[in-house]
Amino acid sequence: MTAVFVEKGLALIGAIVVGVTTTVQLRNDWKNNFLDDQVTKLLLGLMAFGCVLVLLAIFGVLGPS
């Protein structure tokens, strides 16, 4: 087991956990329309996008693996 394999495994688990919780929270906050709710939705969307980027990086789509 190499360090790269362990690092990618931990990144995969973290991206899945954070992505699922972010998506659930974004779905729960979707109907709120106040300014602070809009900022929260923007930040949750950015977190979900970051999780997608991590998944793409793990599988070698974004850069060298």
Side-chain angles (χ1 to χ4, degrees):
M1 224 195 244
T2 64
V4 174
F5 181 74
V6 172
E7 183 179 354
K8 285 185 178 186
L10 290 174
L12 178 66
I13 292 169
I16 291 172
V17 169
V18 172
V20 167
T21 56
T22 300
T23 305
V24 168
Q25 188 62 36
L26 185 59
R27 189 182 66 200
N28 290 341
D29 287 344
W30 192 254
K31 294 186 181 189
N32 299 336
N33 290 324
F34 297 111
L35 180 62
D36 58 339
D37 297 323
Q38 298 294 333
V39 173
T40 301
K41 287 190 274 188
L42 175 69
L43 293 176
L44 287 170
L46 288 173
M47 283 180 65
F49 180 66
C51 291
V52 170
L53 290 179
V54 168
L55 290 173
L56 290 175
I58 289 170
F59 295 117
V61 177
L62 284 181
S65 54

